[in-house]
Amino acid sequence: MTPELLAELARYPAFPPSAATLIHVAGLDAAAKLIGAWPGQDVPMPKAPGGSNDASRRLWQRLVDIVGSDAAARLVLHYTGDDMLVPNLKIVATQRAHERIRIEFDALVAEGISGRVAVFELGIKHHLSRKAVEKVLKSPSLAITPAAMPTAPSVKPRKLVVKPIDEAQGSLF
């Protein structure tokens, strides 16, 4: 997890409050390192910086190795013996991926590629089935442009027309 990616994911509606707290308390760089190292973990925090027994000293040292002593001290003082939730951000990453697919679809259609071919290309690129890509395209957009992506072309609005497959046609071949 990079700080840039974490900052981008913070713009999405599913960004969890626990991640926002980590950023607020430890800083963007330390939060990104922590989420990258311990995603989805409930970390039992020491009651004081440095730890008060062998187990908390080991945990303190692991925390310092990941985020540094300053950020570790801020986290320990904030959580003081409580569990610290480190989110995995899978839902937010999925929201981001769906926005990318919508923008890429709009760009392909604006280039003159048919909707069917665009769905095929996006399925190959993102390792998704046709149905999964169509489901993403039918869901409402969050109107968030992921970083490092061009803005969606405003020339043509997205219109996905999916023709039903005639099962009887398969028996002709």
Side-chain angles (χ1 to χ4, degrees):
M1 173 74 56
T2 65
E4 295 80 16
L5 178 58
L6 184 58
E8 181 182 342
L9 292 176
R11 302 177 341 177
Y12 288 86
F15 194 74
S18 58
T21 300
L22 288 178
I23 293 170
H24 177 73
V25 172
L28 186 62
D29 290 341
K33 290 176 184 174
L34 196 56
I35 292 169
W38 293 342
Q41 298 300 311
D42 287 325
V43 182
M45 296 298 282
K47 292 185 180 178
S52 56
N53 59 35
D54 287 342
S56 64
R57 280 191 283 278
R58 280 194 303 271
L59 181 59
W60 166 259
Q61 189 56 51
R62 291 182 73 188
L63 191 58
V64 168
D65 291 344
I66 294 170
V67 299
S69 59
D70 291 340
R74 288 192 305 271
L75 288 167
V76 168
L77 291 173
H78 180 78
Y79 289 99
T80 56
D82 290 334
D83 285 354
M84 173 181 65
L85 175 61
V86 181
N88 63 22
L89 303 181
K90 287 181 181 179
I91 294 172
V92 184
T94 300
Q95 282 184 336
R96 178 178 176 261
H98 288 183
E99 285 301 305
R100 292 181 75 90
I101 289 170
R102 287 184 198 98
I103 290 169
E104 290 171 7
F105 177 83
D106 290 344
L108 289 171
V109 170
E111 292 173 7
I113 296 174
S114 73
R116 290 180 59 223
V117 172
V119 167
F120 169 76
E121 293 293 337
L122 291 171
I124 298 297
K125 180 178 180 181
H126 293 280
H127 306 288
L128 296 171
S129 69
R130 174 182 59 85
K131 292 275 189 188
V133 173
E134 289 172 354
K135 185 176 179 181
V136 168
L137 294 173
K138 289 178 184 178
S139 66
S141 175
L142 299 172
I144 299 173
T145 302
M149 295 256 339
T151 57
S154 59
V155 180
K156 295 181 182 180
R158 179 175 348 129
K159 182 178 180 185
L160 179 63
V161 178
V162 181
K163 296 180 181 176
I165 299 172
D166 184 1
E167 298 297 330
Q169 294 295 319
S171 63
L172 295 176
F173 302 102

